[in-house]
Structure formats: structure tokens, C-alpha cells
């Protein structure tokens, strides 16, 4: 059996029309002014790749291009073929690969990433976390955050209230709280990655009694206890990296939207756990769990009327702060307890 | 002297065929925790190169997946370090970024070497001979200067980068030559700015006209502010959408039309309008299909860009002879890619 091919000697760009045939374990190449007889074992035959021409590469840089892929496969008994090349040619394997890819991505996103984030979060040294919080205040004080306008005594009362709380076993001290004012963020409290809790003036003013504030602080302590902010940040980094890598060459701007969407699921889960932690803590201290529901309702109402306008540049800086999705659902659950 | 026929580059890849290769490779890359991605990258390049033919012969890619894997690991560690450390400590993060920036010209130079050395046509390799010093001048000093002059020097910097990459490239033993001056680069950017000014003026006039005839509900004293606002947003959007395809098409034309390989010239005839249609459609369909259209998009753009370039031979193209072989590592190429810093060749 003969096969027509084009041969290049690797020293000059001139094409040599040749014919190929196999004789035993040797390949015979014949053209007008060239004859080569080579051991098949000494040749490199790359696996087929789609409908690209088949190739035979000689050790000395010579190269044969064969357009007739069928004839090539028959003559060389599919030399160089690989399992992967077979899969790449089949729509069924493509479909299977697609389904497997999607399910693997789902597993990584739902279980792998949260697990890895928890493992890493538990191993980040405390001094690094504290430095992160300091850095956070350093970059946002004077821009998004203002000094607190609350009276000194008021702050002390709240801190005392927090200190007097009976903590669940395993928790040695209450969260460190920082008071700030912020017209942009309104009534809110945030658990930072390093374990500090940021309390905004408007929240304190919005509460009808100190028990409501303690309820919010208990909720934030739940976030601190489970390192939610840090885990969220780690997860967001990985999701963001993967997105940027994949969509990067389309437009980095477009990568932001899906990233934000992918992250909300985590925060919803975290809110539920922080609520559970707060409910337990409040019950242990004889404070009705409904206090948290009360203040949540007020917060929801305050945020709806104020329609918080977050400046665009602050969004990224704040993306690891706890957002509070599905408040209604949370209120219902807390009332049910 | 005989007239030789111009030879169009051809691209025979197809979206459906590439999709199957792509998805199998994505899947294997995930299953192997990213290790296979180096092999996938070689496959991808081979697919595109081998489907690109000129005068009946195809190009080929010979990159060693193991070298690419090494580069990927280094790049991944650097990038992960930068993103994570930056969150904990901005000073350390900036230090890593600085290291990356300082290393970038060297990495780019290595990347060019690796890519060209591993590209072949008709059995002969391409190669890159640019020096490290010139790489620092062209890829670091000039961009820094153009940033300091608020972009005024950017077209010049771009011309120097293109000249550096072209004039140090060889096919076989033959060097490429590059003739475009910086004036041509400035013209492209002036045109872009000019289009922006036209869009701004047009939008502003129409809002003013519509407002003064009370066709849109605006208070008289707010009309000017309103029209400036609309015109600014409109211009920003228009440039955001138009400028990239326009500049990409014009630059590719400029670069190829002023490149020679030995006695042979090139001709590129891309149209900004068609480029815009392809890029816009690609982004839209990729988003709508949650990324599954991406392989089709890659093929579509590659076909357009490749098939609008032609070789204008001045003599036989069989006469090229091999040059000296050089070796190079993959580290540069992968890092340049990881940081999304690519130079149009």
C-alpha cells in the first residue's frame, strides 16, 4: 500500500512530493531525488488531532505531512494514536466530558472550596489576621468610615454588656468591637476577617434597647467564631481568580458579575450559621431570641427607606464584609425558635 | 523580474471539531488538578497552527508540555502569592508585584523565544534573538515613560516593541524586517480619539436639540449638564466597545503591511467593522452560553485574523534554509500569559 505525502528535509523549505510505504518494521520514503528507509521505532508519529494533517517526524528534523488521514491510519495501523485522541473525535465523549466537567466544578464549588477555605482559615496566624483588620481600618477610616459620634459612656455600657455575656464553651473572650460612623453604610455591623466587629453609630441609634444591640453583636460573634469573613475572602479570591483566568481575555469587567453571583450562596449559608450561634448565645444569657428578629426588622426597614448608595469603588473593598441576604426568611426562622 | 502570485494564509479549523478537543482537555485538566493543562495548551496550539496553511504547507507547534508545566507552576505560585499576600499585607503584596513587574521584560523575552523557537513551517523553525537589555528598554522603560507622560509616548512605545519583536525574529536563517514608523501608530490613536470627539459632539448636540424642542423632559437650566452627562456616558460606552476592535484591526494591518521576510512582503486587510462584529458576537454568545461558546469564538476570531493576511512573495519561497537551533525555557511564556500580558505578533 502506497501513500502520497509531502516531505521537508528540515534544512530547506523546499517541499518534496513523496510516496510512503511500510516494509516490515521500516518506513520507505521515495521521491524524485530522495529515498529514505527508516526504522518505524525511530520515528515520532504524533497522535491525530482533529482533521489536521498526520505527521511523521524524523530524528534529524525531517518531516512528512500526510493529508490522507484514513490511509495513514490504515497503513501505519494507527501508530501514534492515543486514547485521548479517540475521545477528542467523538461527540459522545465530548458530551460525557462536558457533564463530568460541570459536575466536578459543582462539587468543587459546593464542597471542595468551602472545605479548603476552612482548613486554610484555621491555619492563618493570628497576628496576620490582626494586621488585616488594622489595614482595613487604615484604608477605610476618613473615607468610608468616620469617627464614632456616640458618647463615651454609651460605648462603655455596650462593651460592658458584651463582657458580661456568658460565652459558650470553647469561646474564651467576647469579640473586640470598634465603633465608627458611616453615612454611606448606614445602620450596620460587620465581622472582619481578623475577628474585630465593626459597629456603626446608626445601628446603635436604631435599636430600641441594648438587648437588641447585644443580639446583633452575638450574631457577629457567630461570624467571628467560625471565621466566616476570612473564609468568604479566601473563597472569593479563588472564585475570582478562576473567573478572571477563564473570562479574562473576553473582558475582565464581565467576569465580575458571575463572581458576585457565585459568592452570595456562601454568605447566605454563613448568615444562617451566625444566627444559630447568636440564638444559642442569647438563650444562654436569658435574652429572648426575638430581640435579634426585632432589630433585623428595623434594619430591613431602615435600609429599604434609605436605599443605601454604595460608591462603586467601595464595593471591592467591602466584598468580604457580611452582606445580609434573605432577611425575611431569617426573621421568620428566629421568630420560630 | 517575474511577478509572483500573492499567497493568502488559510485556516481550516472548525468550531465543532475544536469544541470536542477543548472540552475533553478541560475535563482532563480538572481531573488532574491542572497538571494536564500544559498538555492541553500544546494541543490547542497544535490545533491552531496545523490548521493554518500557507502555500499548501501547514505550521506546527513543538512546545514541550513538561517545560510548560514547570512555567505554569511558577506562574501559579507567584500569582497566588500576590493575590493572597496582598489581602493580608499590602506592603508585601506590592513588593511581590514590583518583583513581577521588574521580571516581566525578561519573561516576555523568554516567552517570545520559546514561542518562536517552537513554531515551524515546512520543517524550518522560527527563532527569536532579542537581547535582554533591549527587552528592558522596550518592555519596561518605554511603557513607564509613556505612563509618566500620560500615554503621550504610548504609540511610540508600541512601535518600538513591534520593531524589537519583528527585527529580532527569524524564519530559518532569514530575519524579519520592520518598516512602520511611530507616526503611523500616532495616526491610529488620533483617529480613535477623533471618533470619540465626534461621538461626544454628536450626542451632545442631539440631546441639546431634543431638549430645546422639549421632546425630552428636562428643566432648561439643567439641559447643558444633562447633555454633557449623556454624551460622556455614550462616548465612554462607544469607545469601550469600538476602540479595542478598531485598534486591534488597524495595528495588525499596520504591522503586517510593514513587515518583510527577506525579500518577501506581507499584506493584511482586516476591517475594524468586521472585527467589531466578530468580537461583539463572541462576547455575547460566550456569556449567553455560560462560556460554552468560547471554543467556537476562538476559532471564529482566529479564522478572521489569519485569513486576512497574505504573503507577497518576491521569488521562490522554497529557498529558505535552516538557521542555528537555540533552546529556551517555557517559564516566560506561561507567566506572560497568566498575567494576561500578551504582545500581538
Amino acid at each position: 500500500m502506497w501513500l502520497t505525502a509531502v516531505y521537508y528535509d528540515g534544512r530547506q523549505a523546499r517541499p518534496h512530493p513523496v510516496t510512503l510505504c511500510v516494509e516490515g518494521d521500516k518506513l520507505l520514503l521515495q521521491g524524485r531525488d530522495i529515498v529514505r528507509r527508516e526504522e518505524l521505532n525511530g520515528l515520532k508519529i504524533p497522535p491525530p488531532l482533529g482533521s489536521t494533517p498526520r505527521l511523521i517526524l524524523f530524528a534529524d528534523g525531517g518531516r512528512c505531512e500526510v493529508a490522507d488521514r484514513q490511509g495513514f491510519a490504515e497503513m501505519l495501523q494507527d501508530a501514534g494514536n492515543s486514547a485521548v485522541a479517540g475521545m477528542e473525535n467523538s461527540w459522545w465523549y465530548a458530551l460525557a466530558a462536558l457533564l463530568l466537567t460541570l459536575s466536578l466544578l459543582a462539587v468543587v464549588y459546593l464542597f471542595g472550596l468551602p472545605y479548603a477555605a476552612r482548613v486554610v482559615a484555621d491555619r492563618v496566624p493570628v497576628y496576620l489576621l490582626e494586621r488585616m483588620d488594622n489595614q482595613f481600618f487604615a484604608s477605610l477610616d476618613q473615607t468610608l468610615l468616620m469617627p464614632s459620634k456616640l458618647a463615651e459612656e454609651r460605648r462603655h455600657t455596650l462593651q460592658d454588656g458584651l463582657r458580661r455575656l456568658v460565652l459558650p464553651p470553647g469561646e474564651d473572650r467576647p469579640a473586640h468591637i470598634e465603633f465608627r460612623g458611616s453615612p454611606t453604610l448606614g445602620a450596620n455591623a460587620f465581622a472582619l476577617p481578623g475577628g474585630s466587629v465593626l459597629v456603626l453609630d446608626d445601628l446603635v441609634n436604631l435599636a430600641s434597647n441594648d438587648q437588641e444591640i447585644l443580639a446583633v453583636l452575638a450574631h457577629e460573634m457567630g461570624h467571628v467564631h467560625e471565621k466566616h469573613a476570612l473564609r468568604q475572602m479566601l473563597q472569593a479570591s479563588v472564585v475570582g481568580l478562576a473567573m478572571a483566568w477563564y473570562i479574562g481575555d473576553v473582558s475582565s469587567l464581565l467576569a465580575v458579575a458571575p463572581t458576585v453571583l457565585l459568592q452570595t450562596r456562601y454568605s447566605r449559608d454563613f448568615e444562617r450559621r451566625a444566627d444559630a450561634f447568636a440564638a444559642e448565645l442569647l438563650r444562654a444569657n436569658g435574652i429572648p431570641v426575638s430581640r435579634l428578629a426585632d432589630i433585623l426588622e428595623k434594619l430591613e426597614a431602615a435600609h429599604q427607606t434609605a436605599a443605601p448608595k454604595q460608591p462603586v469603588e467601595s464595593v471591592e473593598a467591602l466584598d468580604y464584609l457580611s452582606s445580609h441576604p434573605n432577611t425575611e426568611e431569617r426573621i421568620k426562622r428566629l421568630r420560630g425558635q | 523580474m517575474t511577478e509572483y502570485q500573492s499567497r493568502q494564509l488559510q485556516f481550516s479549523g472548525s468550531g465543532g471539531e475544536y469544541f470536542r478537543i477543548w472540552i475533553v482537555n478541560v475535563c482532563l485538566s480538572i481531573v488532574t488538578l491542572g497538571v494536564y493543562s500544559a498538555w492541553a495548551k500544546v494541543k490547542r496550539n497544535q490545533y491552531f497552527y496545523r490548521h493554518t496553511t500557507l502555500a499548501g504547507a501547514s505550521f506546527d507547534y513543538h512546545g514541550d508540555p513538561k517545560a510548560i508545566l514547570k512555567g505554569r507552576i511558577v506562574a501559579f505560585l507567584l500569582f497566588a502569592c500576590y493575590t493572597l499576600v496582598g489581602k493580608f499585607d499590602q506592603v508585601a503584596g506590592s513588593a511581590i508585584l514590583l518583583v513581577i513587574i521588574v521580571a516581566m521584560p525578561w519573561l516576555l523575552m523568554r516567552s517570545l523565544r520559546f514561542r518562536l523557537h517552537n513554531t515551524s513551517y515546512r520543517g524550518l523553525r522560527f527563532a527569536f534573538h532579542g537581547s535582554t537589555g533591549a527587552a528592558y528598554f522596550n518592555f519596561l522603560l518605554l511603557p513607564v515613560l509613556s505612563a509618566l507622560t500620560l500615554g503621550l509616548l504610548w504609540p511610540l512605545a508600541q512601535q518600538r516593541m513591534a520593531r524589537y519583536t519583528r527585527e529580532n525574529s527569524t524564519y530559518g536563517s532569514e530575519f524579519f524586517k520592520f518598516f512602520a514608523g511611530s507616526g503611523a501608530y500616532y495616526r491610529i490613536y488620533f483617529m480613535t480619539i477623533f471618533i470619540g470627539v465626534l461621538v461626544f459632539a454628536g450626542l451632545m448636540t442631539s440631546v441639546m436639540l431634543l431638549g430645546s424642542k422639549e421632546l425630552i423632559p428636562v428643566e432648561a437650566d439643567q439641559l447643558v449638564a444633562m447633555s454633557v452627562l449623556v454624551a460622556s456616558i455614550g462616548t465612554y460606552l462607544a469607545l469601550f466597545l469600538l476602540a479595542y476592535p478598531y485598534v486591534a484591526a488597524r495595528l495588525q494591518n499596520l504591522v503586517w503591511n510593514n513587515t518583510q521576510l527577506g525579500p518577501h512582503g506581507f499584506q493584511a486587510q482586516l476591517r475594524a467593522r468586521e472585527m467589531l462584529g466578530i468580537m461583539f458576537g463572541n462576547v455575547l454568545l460566550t456569556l449567553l452560553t455560560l462560556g460554552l461558546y468560547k471554543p467556537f469564538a476562538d476559532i471564529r476570531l482566529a479564522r478572521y485574523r489569519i485569513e486576512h493576511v497574505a504573503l507577497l512573495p518576491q521569488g521562490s519561497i522554497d529557498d529558505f534554509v535552516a538557521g542555528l537551533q537555540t533552546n529556551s525555557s517555557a517559564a516566560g511564556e506561561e507567566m506572560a500569559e497568566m498575567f494576561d500580558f500578551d504582545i500581538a505578533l
Side-chain angles (χ1 to χ4, degrees):
Chain A
M1 182 187 172
W2 290 88
L3 207 57
T4 57
V6 182
Y7 173 74
Y8 300 96
D9 61 14
R11 292 183 297 279
Q12 211 196 346
R14 190 156 76 93
H16 302 265
V18 292
T19 51
L20 302 174
C21 77
V22 174
E23 285 180 347
D25 55 357
K26 287 199 165 80
L27 179 83
L28 178 65
L29 179 149
Q30 281 179 300
R32 199 143 47 121
D33 42 11
I34 186 161
V35 177
R36 285 191 80 155
R37 197 186 300 266
E38 300 280 341
E39 295 267 346
L40 276 173
N41 289 336
L43 300 172
K44 209 168 128 195
I45 299 174
L49 184 61
S51 58
T52 59
R54 292 302 303 266
L55 305 166
I56 301 171
L57 307 177
F58 297 80
D60 62 358
R63 164 193 180 86
C64 241
E65 293 180 9
V66 185
D68 177 5
R69 283 173 293 131
Q70 187 120 38
F72 186 97
E74 279 166 26
M75 188 177 86
L76 287 155
Q77 275 122 45
D78 247 356
N81 207 348
S82 70
V84 177
M87 287 192 249
E88 288 166 351
N89 265 328
S90 140
W91 277 107
W92 288 112
Y93 273 107
L95 185 67
L98 177 63
L99 294 178
L100 185 58
T101 304
L102 292 179
S103 31
L104 279 174
L105 286 177
V107 168
V108 167
Y109 170 69
L110 292 175
F111 307 106
L113 200 49
Y115 176 77
R118 193 175 315 153
V119 171
V120 174
D122 285 340
R123 278 163 184 72
V124 177
V126 181
Y127 75 92
L128 268 183
L129 295 177
E130 279 166 2
R131 197 188 291 179
M132 268 174 80
D133 283 2
N134 292 341
Q135 196 172 295
F136 171 85
F137 282 114
S139 65
L140 287 188
D141 272 338
Q142 310 308 327
T143 55
L144 205 57
L145 302 178
M146 306 294 157
S148 172
K149 290 202 186 76
L150 293 178
E152 190 82 3
E153 302 154 38
R154 184 92 181 92
R155 280 186 263 168
H156 276 301
T157 323
L158 290 173
Q159 259 159 348
D160 278 342
L162 189 65
R163 217 166 292 138
R164 274 201 297 274
L165 285 183
V166 179
L167 297 175
E171 196 77 0
D172 47 351
R173 65 196 169 101
H176 167 77
I177 41 181
E178 290 273 349
F179 292 95
R180 292 287 190 283
S182 173
T184 7
L185 294 173
N188 230 327
F190 300 101
L192 301 185
S196 311
V197 174
L198 167 63
V199 182
L200 297 178
D201 288 357
D202 289 0
L203 175 84
V204 178
N205 297 331
L206 185 74
S208 332
N209 53 55
D210 285 4
Q211 285 192 338
E212 286 184 358
I213 301 173
L214 284 179
V216 172
L217 292 177
H219 169 87
E220 298 306 331
M221 276 171 67
H223 283 313
V224 172
H225 177 72
E226 302 200 3
K227 302 199 166 141
H228 284 163
L230 181 63
R231 281 158 57 188
Q232 171 94 338
M233 191 196 84
L234 290 168
Q235 285 164 176
S237 304
V238 176
V239 171
L241 248 165
M243 275 291 164
W245 183 66
Y246 184 66
I247 315 194
D249 49 346
V250 179
S251 164
S252 48
L253 209 100
L254 297 170
V256 178
T259 313
V260 171
L261 282 178
L262 283 172
Q263 281 158 18
T264 45
R265 200 197 72 87
Y266 288 136
S267 46
R268 193 169 309 153
D269 194 34
F270 286 167
E271 291 311 321
R272 220 180 30 237
R273 295 191 61 93
D275 280 347
F277 180 93
E280 201 178 313
L281 182 66
L282 292 175
R283 237 181 267 123
N285 286 282
I287 301 174
V289 179
S290 61
R291 291 283 186 262
L292 184 55
D294 292 345
I295 185 86
L296 277 176
E297 263 167 10
K298 280 178 203 142
L299 282 170
E300 180 80 341
H303 282 267
Q304 256 158 18
T305 47
K309 275 180 274 172
Q310 290 196 356
V312 180
E313 62 268 25
S314 77
V315 172
E316 205 203 359
L318 284 170
D319 67 357
Y320 54 79
L321 300 175
S322 44
S323 55
H324 290 179
N326 280 16
T327 314
E328 255 173 68
E329 190 194 308
R330 291 173 52 207
I331 293 170
K332 234 179 257 167
R333 193 180 302 119
L334 288 166
R335 291 250 187 260
Q337 283 180 348
Chain B
M1 205 170 129
T2 27
E3 273 295 304
Y4 287 87
Q5 215 190 334
S6 93
R7 299 295 196 115
Q8 205 81 31
L9 277 162
Q10 308 280 339
F11 184 71
S12 50
S14 85
E17 185 181 270
Y18 179 56
F19 176 82
R20 297 196 296 265
I21 295 172
W22 175 81
I23 190 68
V24 167
N25 284 301
V26 167
C27 185
L28 288 173
S29 298
I30 294 177
V31 170
T32 57
L33 300 173
V35 170
Y36 191 78
S37 72
W39 278 259
K41 186 195 156 85
V42 171
K43 280 253 168 90
R44 178 204 148 88
N45 278 352
Q46 282 175 341
Y47 184 83
F48 280 89
Y49 283 36
R50 288 180 190 167
H51 268 306
T52 304
T53 50
L54 173 66
S58 65
F59 289 78
D60 200 359
Y61 182 74
H62 308 267
D64 174 17
K66 282 186 221 103
I68 292 178
L69 181 63
K70 268 185 242 160
R72 284 217 153 164
I73 290 171
V74 175
F76 176 79
L77 289 180
L78 257 181
F79 200 44
C81 248
Y82 167 64
T83 26
L84 286 181
V85 171
K87 298 251 161 140
F88 294 114
D89 192 329
Q90 276 169 346
V91 179
S94 320
I96 296 180
L97 187 64
L98 195 69
V99 169
I100 292 169
I101 289 174
V102 168
M104 195 54 84
W106 182 78
L107 293 174
L108 276 172
M109 195 256 311
R110 306 287 293 188
S111 133
L112 281 166
R113 264 217 244 171
F114 186 81
R115 205 176 304 174
L116 285 175
H117 170 76
N118 285 308
T119 302
S120 76
Y121 173 68
R122 294 181 167 214
L124 300 189
R125 297 283 181 117
F126 289 78
F128 184 71
H129 309 271
S131 72
T132 312
Y136 273 90
F137 179 79
N138 289 301
F139 294 143
L140 189 63
L141 188 65
L142 283 177
V144 165
L145 283 180
S146 75
L148 289 179
T149 53
L150 301 173
L152 273 183
L153 284 181
W154 176 243
L156 174 76
Q158 223 174 2
Q159 184 257 347
R160 289 301 146 97
M161 289 189 229
R163 199 175 72 180
Y164 170 72
T165 51
R166 296 272 149 163
E167 297 207 321
N168 287 303
S169 299
T170 50
Y171 169 62
S173 60
E174 196 75 70
F175 272 88
F176 283 87
K177 289 176 224 143
F178 186 64
F179 303 103
S182 52
Y185 280 80
Y186 276 99
R187 269 198 291 283
I188 291 176
Y189 285 97
F190 275 133
M191 267 312 278
T192 315
I193 294 168
F194 183 62
I195 294 172
V197 172
L198 278 188
V199 171
F200 188 87
L203 280 174
M204 181 129 178
T205 340
S206 30
V207 174
M208 291 286 271
L209 273 177
L210 288 174
S212 60
K213 289 189 179 137
E214 287 170 4
L215 286 169
I216 38 173
V218 179
E219 304 271 325
D221 53 336
Q222 285 173 351
L223 188 56
V224 177
M226 170 83 174
S227 47
V228 168
L229 185 73
V230 170
S232 310
I233 296 174
T235 312
Y236 176 76
L237 282 177
L239 283 185
F240 186 77
L241 285 174
L242 297 173
Y244 181 66
Y246 174 80
V247 172
R250 285 299 147 96
L251 278 183
Q252 195 182 334
N253 287 348
L254 175 69
V255 166
W256 280 110
N257 292 335
N258 288 287
T259 297
Q260 271 195 8
L261 174 61
H264 314 291
F266 295 90
Q267 189 180 37
Q269 289 170 307
L270 285 92
R271 306 187 68 116
R273 216 176 317 135
E274 289 165 1
M275 194 85 155
L276 173 74
I278 290 171
M279 285 186 169
F280 193 68
N282 279 353
V283 170
L284 205 68
L285 284 168
T286 304
L287 281 178
L288 286 178
T289 56
L290 302 173
L292 287 183
Y293 186 74
K294 189 138 187 307
F296 295 89
D298 289 350
I299 291 282
R300 219 172 132 209
L301 187 62
R303 166 166 294 123
Y304 185 75
R305 295 189 88 144
I306 291 168
E307 295 203 330
H308 284 80
V309 176
L311 176 75
L312 307 174
Q314 297 292 317
S316 168
I317 53 173
D318 296 346
D319 296 337
F320 290 104
V321 291
L324 286 171
Q325 295 287 308
T326 48
N327 290 316
S328 70
S329 86
E333 171 160 53
E334 277 319 305
M335 280 187 247
E337 222 170 66
M338 197 79 179
F339 290 101
D340 209 10
F341 196 95
D342 208 354
I343 7 172
L345 267 175

